Amino acid sequence: MLLKFKPIAIVAALLLGGQVHAEEALRLAFVDPLSGPLASSGQLGLKHYQYAAAEINAAGGVLGGRMIEIVPFDNKANPQETSLVLRRLADEGFSFVSQGNSSAVAAAIIDAVEKNNSRNPDHKMMYMNYSAVDPALTNEKCSFWHFRFDTEVNMKTAAMTTFMATQKDLKKVYLINQDYSFGRAVGEASHKMLNEKRPDIEIVGEEYHPLAKVKDFSPYIAKIKASGAQAVMTGNFGADLTLLVKAARDAGLDVDWYTYYSSLLGTVTAMGDAGVDRVYELVEWHENIDNAELTEFAEGYKAEYQDDWRYMRVRTMLHMFANALNAAGTDDPEAVAKALDNASYDSPLGPVRMQSENHQIIMPQYVTLLSRDVEHDLEGTGIGRKTVASFQAEQVKLPTTCDMKRP
Amino acid sequence: MALFLLFLANGLAYGLTLFLLSSGVTLIFSMMGVLNFAHASFYMLGAYLGFQISQVTGFWGGLVLAPLMVGVIGGAVERYGLRRVHAHGHVAELLYTFGLAFLIEEIVQLIWGRSAVNYVFPDLLRTPIFAIAGLDYPAFRVVMAAISVMAFLMLLLLLLRTRVGLVVQSALTHARMTAMLGHNVPMVFMSVFAVGSGLAGLAGVLGGAALVTEPMMAQQLGPIVFVIVVIGGLGSLFGAFVASLAVGLLQTFAVGFDRSLGQLASSVGLAPDASGNFAELWSISLSQIAPLLPYMLLILMLVVRPRGIAGKRDL
């Protein structure tokens, strides 16, 4: 009898053992605002992570069958709150943390990760940033443990101003931005780069308005009109952008818009026809790029969440993360960080790489224009983006002042 | 000059919008003594309901039905919630409306999602009716201003010149006596709360289409309502009207006639040191602090004249 059961027991033990190993998920902490005023952008990011991770898991996961598990943590978009979350993550043994909303929070995470890694060399952490674009994070504040998967403000502005320089008839530009670090960075970079690339373009106004406090933009529209501007360049996002463009439409202001965040949650809906053929945006992907693989991916997301896929960089990031894990052959964060350092990735839109000097991603960029003449739209409005200019990854590279300390 | 007129027109229009929003708070406070923290949430509810109804009936149906629905909801809130809480005093009432604000906001987001909805005026209202300084002045701004002024006049007439108004006023100060005389005082309170909420709903329908209908709208406009009510004098409709116009004009002109604080100081005879320790401060421009100005006015008002412009008693 015993003999008869032995092989079964062995098989069962093998199966169970294998299963235990495969079930040990690879946890990635997602730290972003999941409550409070910025909850909608945090929730949007979380859905993107979960969907992109599901794609990798469906293809067999990482490290020979382990699933990536996205574990959400709410930081209320607050740096102090984030430091507490990071302490908790260290206690709970997380090695990988990710975040995107707010550069102030990103700086707090870099700080916390650096401290943790020097105090707990046995339990190091690695940080992947999908949206915080303050140039400082990959320059003076750069860290070996931080990897940025979005192009920073200066790179975005460089690409955008290069495109603007090709607009022969453009002579007068108005700069309006939010009065805080990001808005200031956009305004100053735009001013400097436009002057360099097209000295004949006159900056007819440079405005910094309070962040998320202005309800009535009509006085600003009056000033833009009085300045004689042909185009407005702005890093505004959310209500600050929709209210601005809506007020301009209501007043019949006849200008083009050069933006970075006009396809975010609800913005295209709110702008409506006011934005068509008027609003340019710099992005890493959009819904009308002719690429079957990415279109199918985005459609799948839409079917599952009844919402549009927006941040293709999240997919790029998780693919590069998975590749780095597999290349390292271990979930040790130091080994993974070393594999990600200077990693290349053949994205469906062309080669992408993580720049070793400062851990800034170098990826293709597109200038888009809102149009009704498109196959895929945003938010069911019938309005979508079309490409008007594109940049290869290496074209948007900028020098860095980063002096990286490597382990 | 043309630019000045444009700023004036914009400032008045914005001020009147603010009045429509704050008139409900003032009404409820002056008649019931309840400071309604959930007012901005009723505004938000009005915008979303207006959007939903406009999908079926067009904009005008929403303009009529949404404020009525918000009014009914407001009445129900008073009848089944606030009335019971009232017995426990003002703090309980404040906390109740405070909680209600969050509840309404969350419910709205559960129903309509966390993203903006596409709520705009019909083309008829978006056509420009005149142009100043090369910029169109859309019809809806005039319509909004007219509705706001009408609401102001009708409320004044209702309260000061009608029998209903007399009963309402006496119910506030002499509730028992009014009840003894055969008037249904609880019914009066419920109606006042319903009308106040309905006004917020009306402001929501107009404000939601003029600005943007999104989950943040209540939180963004909530504080300014209280600024206006306090500057105007708690419970004074006339004061709220004047304060709304003042705040609207102040903010618009601060942006329009942009000077740095240093320039302002030198124009009144001071000579600020542009390179000293406060150089940063003097270089701040008026437009940067425009949204702060109402709050500065609020603090100034509380220090100098705590009862506000036309309040009947100190805070």
Side-chain angles (χ1 to χ4, degrees):
Chain A
M1 285 297 273
L2 273 173
L3 266 176
K4 205 174 168 187
F5 276 107
K6 220 173 179 179
I8 301 173
I10 290 169
V11 169
L14 279 175
L15 274 176
L16 280 174
Q19 218 159 342
V20 165
H21 182 70
E23 266 171 12
E24 196 192 323
L26 189 116
R27 296 182 303 168
L28 171 59
F30 175 83
V31 182
D32 243 3
L34 300 173
S35 68
L38 290 170
S40 55
S41 34
Q43 297 284 0
L44 182 71
L46 178 59
K47 283 190 279 183
H48 275 64
Y49 271 67
Q50 284 165 338
Y51 187 73
E55 184 199 31
I56 290 167
N57 291 341
V62 292
L63 294 171
R66 288 175 66 184
M67 299 291 120
I68 296 180
E69 185 194 352
I70 307 297
V71 189
F73 290 89
D74 183 13
N75 69 354
K76 303 181 177 68
N78 175 324
Q80 283 80 35
E81 197 85 26
T82 305
S83 302
L84 294 177
V85 171
L86 262 283
R87 214 168 296 160
R88 196 176 138 201
L89 291 180
D91 290 345
E92 294 183 12
F94 277 86
S95 309
F96 304 103
V97 51
S98 190
Q99 174 270 355
N101 282 288
S102 163
S103 290
V105 168
I109 296 184
I110 292 180
D111 198 43
V113 167
E114 287 273 357
K115 271 187 193 141
N116 173 72
N117 292 359
S118 65
R119 287 172 192 167
N120 295 320
D122 298 336
H123 296 283
K124 290 200 170 99
M125 292 171 102
M126 189 191 106
Y127 162 39
M128 295 185 288
N129 160 8
Y130 77 97
S131 268
V133 293
D134 183 347
L137 300 177
T138 46
N139 286 298
E140 56 268 31
K141 285 185 199 153
C142 72
S143 159
F144 177 78
W145 305 102
H146 163 242
F147 295 86
R148 168 146 59 196
F149 290 84
D150 194 1
T151 45
E152 45 98 339
V153 170
N154 288 337
M155 295 164 78
K156 284 182 196 294
T157 310
M160 192 56 123
T161 48
T162 300
F163 169 71
M164 289 168 80
T166 64
Q167 307 290 92
K168 294 275 176 298
D169 297 331
L170 189 60
K171 299 287 177 210
K172 290 182 170 183
V173 175
Y174 199 100
L175 306 177
I176 180 165
N177 285 291
Q178 295 151 325
D179 193 9
Y180 80 115
S181 59
F182 165 73
R184 290 261 164 197
V186 173
E188 279 152 24
S190 309
H191 195 138
K192 187 167 149 273
M193 292 177 186
L194 271 179
N195 274 348
E196 282 166 11
K197 288 171 189 169
R198 278 280 298 278
D200 60 316
I201 289 184
E202 191 189 345
I203 309 285
V204 290
E206 200 165 358
E207 185 91 52
Y208 295 98
H209 68 77
L211 174 67
K213 294 231 163 45
V214 181
K215 281 105 208 169
D216 183 19
F217 270 96
S218 51
Y220 293 97
I221 300 302
K223 284 172 88 175
I224 294 171
K225 176 72 187 177
S227 74
Q230 296 163 293
V232 178
M233 195 174 180
T234 177
N236 281 16
F237 55 84
D240 280 340
L241 182 65
T242 48
L243 288 174
L244 180 67
V245 178
K246 251 186 141 182
R249 176 193 57 192
D250 291 335
L253 181 72
D254 187 29
V255 295
D256 289 332
W257 299 86
Y258 293 91
T259 72
Y260 302 109
Y261 294 112
S262 51
S263 62
L264 286 194
L265 215 52
T267 311
V268 167
T269 300
M271 291 190 300
D273 277 314
V276 171
D277 293 329
R278 281 297 192 182
V279 176
Y280 295 91
E281 186 190 20
L282 187 82
V283 291
E284 77 271 6
W285 170 86
H286 65 86
E287 62 284 353
N288 289 301
I289 284 181
D290 190 16
N291 181 288
E293 183 185 347
L294 294 183
T295 303
E296 191 193 329
F297 177 78
E299 290 292 316
Y301 178 83
K302 201 168 181 170
E304 187 162 338
Y305 290 104
Q306 285 79 48
D307 191 12
D308 301 310
W309 177 265
R310 291 156 212 264
Y311 311 134
M312 198 51 86
R313 54 183 180 269
V314 170
R315 182 178 188 265
T316 306
M317 180 180 89
L318 288 184
H319 274 267
M320 290 182 75
F321 178 49
N323 291 349
L325 280 163
N326 292 335
T330 161
D331 61 2
D332 172 47
E334 186 167 334
V336 177
K338 281 178 173 156
L340 202 49
D341 180 72
N342 206 16
S344 307
Y345 166 59
D346 268 328
S347 90
L349 300 178
V352 168
R353 69 182 174 90
M354 181 54 69
Q355 184 162 266
S356 176
E357 297 97 290
N358 61 348
H359 291 182
Q360 165 66 51
I361 199 161
I362 309 292
M363 63 180 171
Q365 299 279 289
Y366 298 84
V367 179
T368 66
L369 179 63
L370 284 185
S371 169
R372 278 208 170 268
D373 181 25
V374 288
E375 189 183 341
H376 301 281
D377 68 351
L378 278 166
E379 299 169 359
T381 53
I383 301 168
R385 293 167 288 181
K386 64 178 185 191
T387 304
V388 289
S390 57
F391 298 90
Q392 293 294 307
E394 298 303 323
Q395 285 176 288
V396 288
K397 198 173 73 175
L398 283 180
T400 172
T401 60
C402 171
D403 175 23
M404 195 174 279
K405 283 170 198 64
R406 292 163 189 279
Chain B
M1 189 59 201
L3 214 52
F4 178 82
L5 277 180
L6 182 63
F7 285 129
L8 190 67
N10 282 336
L12 285 177
Y14 182 49
L16 286 169
T17 314
L18 290 178
F19 171 72
L20 200 57
L21 186 58
S22 45
S23 59
V25 178
T26 306
L27 182 74
I28 291 171
F29 184 79
S30 61
M31 296 301 136
M32 299 174 65
V34 177
L35 198 49
N36 182 13
F37 272 104
H39 196 73
S41 309
F42 282 117
Y43 163 81
M44 176 182 187
L45 191 60
Y48 275 93
L49 282 175
F51 161 74
Q52 199 62 56
I53 296 168
S54 72
Q55 300 292 301
V56 184
T57 64
F59 176 79
W60 303 102
L63 181 63
V64 177
L65 292 177
L68 290 178
M69 284 170 73
V70 177
V72 169
I73 294 170
V77 161
E78 201 281 338
R79 173 70 183 79
Y80 298 105
L82 201 57
R83 191 173 295 179
R84 289 156 201 239
V85 178
H86 187 70
H88 303 290
H90 282 314
V91 174
E93 280 172 354
L94 274 185
L95 290 174
Y96 175 78
T97 59
F98 200 67
L100 188 67
F102 285 104
L103 192 66
I104 294 175
E105 275 172 42
E106 283 303 318
I107 290 174
V108 166
Q109 291 185 32
L110 278 179
I111 299 176
W112 286 283
R114 292 182 189 275
S115 167
V117 295
N118 185 19
Y119 188 30
V120 288
F121 285 114
D123 287 340
L124 176 70
L125 284 180
R126 275 160 60 185
T127 46
I129 48 170
F130 58 88
I132 320 175
L135 282 175
D136 296 336
Y137 203 79
F140 70 77
R141 281 184 169 254
V142 180
V143 171
M144 283 172 76
I147 290 178
S148 179
V149 171
M150 254 162 53
F152 173 58
L153 293 179
M154 279 172 66
L155 280 178
L156 273 191
L157 282 179
L158 184 75
L159 290 176
L160 301 179
R161 291 278 179 271
T162 66
R163 211 181 140 73
V164 178
L166 279 179
V167 175
V168 170
Q169 290 197 45
S170 58
L172 174 68
T173 47
H174 301 85
R176 280 176 154 249
M177 179 58 87
T178 315
M180 296 288 189
L181 289 172
H183 297 289
N184 188 350
V185 172
M187 182 71 187
V188 168
F189 282 158
M190 190 179 88
S191 314
V192 168
F193 202 86
V195 171
S197 312
L199 280 171
L202 180 63
V205 173
L206 295 168
L211 303 173
V212 56
T213 304
E214 47 114 22
M216 287 282 292
M217 62 190 294
Q219 287 170 38
Q220 286 197 337
L221 276 170
I224 198 86
V225 172
F226 289 101
V227 170
I228 285 165
V229 171
V230 172
I231 294 177
L234 269 176
S236 164
L237 263 184
F238 175 73
F241 188 73
V242 175
S244 307
L245 291 185
V247 167
L249 288 171
L250 185 69
Q251 283 197 309
T252 305
F253 277 98
V255 174
F257 292 89
D258 201 6
R259 302 283 179 277
S260 73
L261 294 186
Q263 282 169 311
L264 281 184
S266 28
S267 67
V268 294
L270 294 168
D273 181 6
S275 56
N277 292 334
F278 297 110
E280 191 87 334
L281 178 71
W282 293 120
S283 69
I284 292 175
S285 73
L286 262 188
S287 70
Q288 278 171 270
I289 56 166
L292 286 183
L293 292 177
Y295 300 95
M296 287 162 74
L297 199 60
L298 168 79
I299 290 168
L300 199 69
M301 188 58 97
L302 285 176
V303 172
V304 178
R305 191 181 155 87
R307 66 181 55 186
I309 293 173
K312 292 188 181 64
R313 55 194 159 85
D314 285 343
L315 271 177

